[in-house]
Amino acid sequence: MSEITVPAMGESITEGTIYKWHVQEGDAVNQGDVLLELETDKVNLEISAEESGVVEKILRKDGETVQIGEVIGRLAAGGEAAAAASAAPAKEEPKAEEKAAPAAPSVPAEPAKEGETYLAASPAARKLAREQGIDLEQVNRDPKGRIYQENVRNHAEAPAPRPAAAAPAAQTAAPAVTGQPGKPAERQRMSRRRATIAKRLVEAQHTAAMLTTFNEVDMTAIMDIRKRRKDAFKDKHDIGLGFMSFFTKAVVGALKQFPLLNAEIDGEDIIVKKYYDIGIAVAAKEGLVVPVVRDADRLSFADIEKEIASLASKARSNTLALSELQGGTFTITNGGTFGSLMSTPILNAPQVGILGMHKIQLRPVAIDAERSENRPMMYIALSYDHRIVDGSDAVRFLVTVKELLEDPESLLLEG
């Protein structure tokens, strides 16, 4: 017998929520098979079987909050697993003259055909059905044609299968919702990550003296460089030349001139960081995450583009490691990808600065007293913690970012 426990996941994480069990009681599993998915404040983690055996007991259900080190299930391993399998009906064991024939899988990938129902049931399901005198052919199966202990229990409680009534029953059991009486509404439980994001954003507003200053950038020069160089850049580096590398370089250059925006507050002390780990906000399915591009000042444009692409891909596939989310010194967020023209970004505590990018839009710009032209313009916003960053420094920081972006060649020297 072995225990399924919640593993340690880093110093900042003490608990998680069971997002989904991928097995049920009575299922046979091999070493390395994924047993469940655990949702934490930052990432979702898969917990795998440490040895082969049969899932004997699931102690905590989907949606329950569990602590690091807590036992959430038990796995019968080795001889115990064999004993569980031997408890199945004799019908399952092949006769001597049948042993030469290929064995059917214990849990087929497709629904079992008529007369082969017993092949799709877990050992625990067979045992329970035998004890209660239930014909497995009458038990409802899951979408892949498998029968588990829970299916047998449900059948015992409802003598006749009623698949058509399942949907109305689920509607009846739905939690009560609030709102205007008689109006349609739906109650949805927040994911753990969404609840954590909500909590931290409110804390950032309550604990920091947050202000925002705005400016705009003429993107003509950057768009011209991208137009002229994108094909050669792609051929050489196997990655597209996007806007994020320009903005990352510009931010690094401005942080070097205004180091308090690359700091954090610790009690009555200010910790000024001499390195540049830039967080890039990414909108993932489960909520916003901010993976970190390490030592951005030492990376080339191509290196930055590759690192951002890799981190964004991991964020969307929910495979980011905790180490890739921790320790950023400053954050960049791009609401422009969703069409935002202007916004006020919220600080990513304990950082004291965050730059918001926005949609590029053609607008008439005065060239001199006599002429104006339509130029690709972007509003940029800097939110900062006024406790340690003075307004003059914040404004000059943003002006520096603007000037570096409008003269991209200077990024090679200043960024």
Side-chain angles (χ1 to χ4, degrees):
M1 179 77 65
S2 62
E3 295 179 334
I4 304 169
T5 60
V6 180
M9 295 171 285
E11 294 181 3
S12 63
I13 297 180
T14 59
E15 63 180 21
T17 299
I18 296 178
Y19 180 71
K20 182 180 180 182
W21 279 96
H22 293 287
V23 296
Q24 300 188 37
E25 291 179 356
D27 281 4
V29 296
N30 294 318
Q31 183 179 11
D33 286 353
V34 175
L35 301 176
L36 71 148
E37 190 173 351
L38 190 71
E39 185 180 37
T40 72
D41 296 349
K42 298 178 182 291
V43 294
N44 283 23
L45 301 174
E46 292 180 342
I47 298 179
S48 302
E50 295 183 356
E51 55 185 303
S52 301
V54 172
V55 179
E56 183 185 71
K57 189 69 176 177
I58 292 176
L59 300 175
R60 304 300 295 271
K61 306 300 182 184
D62 291 358
E64 291 191 40
T65 298
V66 293
Q67 306 297 316
I68 301 302
E70 181 177 345
V71 177
I72 56 177
R74 294 192 180 92
L75 191 69
E80 297 171 271
S86 66
K91 180 180 180 182
E92 301 173 51
E93 297 299 327
K95 297 178 182 178
E97 60 270 20
E98 294 174 336
K99 288 185 178 178
S106 60
V107 182
E110 300 295 332
K113 299 178 182 179
E114 185 176 358
E116 296 178 337
T117 310
Y118 69 95
L119 292 176
S122 70
R126 299 186 192 107
K127 180 180 179 182
L128 183 60
R130 186 173 68 254
E131 291 172 350
Q132 299 196 13
I134 294 174
D135 183 357
L136 285 173
E137 294 188 8
Q138 304 301 317
V139 176
N140 288 336
R141 308 168 188 172
D142 74 357
K144 293 186 178 181
R146 298 171 296 191
I147 299 174
Y148 298 100
Q149 196 173 37
E150 184 178 353
N151 300 107
V152 178
R153 288 200 199 99
N154 291 341
H155 181 84
E157 294 171 2
R162 293 180 295 172
Q171 293 173 4
T172 303
V177 297
T178 58
Q180 186 69 26
K183 300 291 186 179
E186 178 184 358
R187 181 184 294 271
Q188 294 183 352
R189 183 184 180 90
M190 276 192 184
S191 69
R192 184 175 189 87
R193 188 180 302 168
R194 174 62 59 189
T196 300
I197 291 171
K199 178 181 177 182
R200 290 183 177 174
L201 291 179
V202 171
E203 286 178 351
Q205 290 184 311
H206 285 174
T207 59
M210 192 175 73
L211 292 177
T212 304
T213 183
F214 299 90
N215 213 314
E216 62 179 352
V217 177
D218 184 345
M219 299 291 289
T220 300
I222 289 177
M223 294 183 75
D224 179 61
I225 288 176
R226 292 182 71 235
K227 183 178 180 179
R228 289 187 290 106
R229 303 292 300 173
K230 65 178 183 180
D231 291 338
F233 189 91
K234 176 78 172 179
D235 291 342
K236 182 175 182 178
H237 302 291
D238 197 29
I239 189 72
L241 178 59
F243 293 112
M244 290 306 301
S245 53
F246 289 94
F247 275 83
T248 302
K249 284 289 188 181
V251 161
V252 170
L255 288 174
K256 289 181 177 180
Q257 295 185 41
F258 300 92
L260 283 181
L261 278 148
N262 201 49
E264 69 175 79
I265 298 175
D266 183 18
E268 295 185 355
D269 295 332
I270 298 174
I271 301 174
V272 181
K273 298 167 185 176
K274 303 296 186 179
Y275 55 93
Y276 305 91
D277 289 351
I278 307 301
I280 306 295
V282 178
K285 182 179 178 181
E286 295 297 325
L288 187 74
V289 292
V290 187
V292 179
V293 177
R294 307 289 177 188
D295 298 317
D297 57 318
R298 302 180 184 180
L299 301 179
S300 66
F301 280 73
D303 291 336
I304 291 173
E305 293 291 352
K306 289 178 181 179
E307 184 67 6
I308 291 175
S310 173
L311 292 170
S313 176
K314 290 181 181 180
R316 296 185 180 107
S317 63
N318 207 18
T319 56
L320 281 169
L322 288 175
S323 60
E324 294 171 315
L325 292 165
Q326 297 173 333
T329 62
F330 187 95
T331 293
I332 302 174
T333 180
N334 186 5
T337 57
F338 303 103
S340 172
L341 188 61
M342 185 177 289
S343 65
T344 303
I346 298 177
L347 291 173
N348 182 22
Q351 297 170 22
V352 297
I354 179 171
L355 179 74
M357 300 167 54
H358 299 92
K359 180 182 179 181
I360 299 173
Q361 191 172 57
L362 281 176
R363 291 198 295 273
V365 175
I367 305 302
D368 53 38
E370 304 295 332
R371 299 175 301 142
S372 65
E373 293 181 3
N374 287 334
R375 294 287 184 92
M377 304 298 293
M378 176 193 286
Y379 290 120
I380 55 176
L382 172 71
S383 291
Y384 61 97
D385 192 339
H386 206 357
R387 291 179 297 170
I388 64 170
V389 180
D390 292 335
S392 60
D393 283 350
V395 170
R396 288 187 293 157
F397 173 92
L398 202 57
V399 169
T400 301
V401 171
K402 167 186 169 68
E403 292 173 346
L404 290 171
L405 290 170
E406 291 181 344
D407 181 17
E409 292 179 359
S410 64
L411 294 177
L412 299 175
L413 301 175
E414 302 293 338

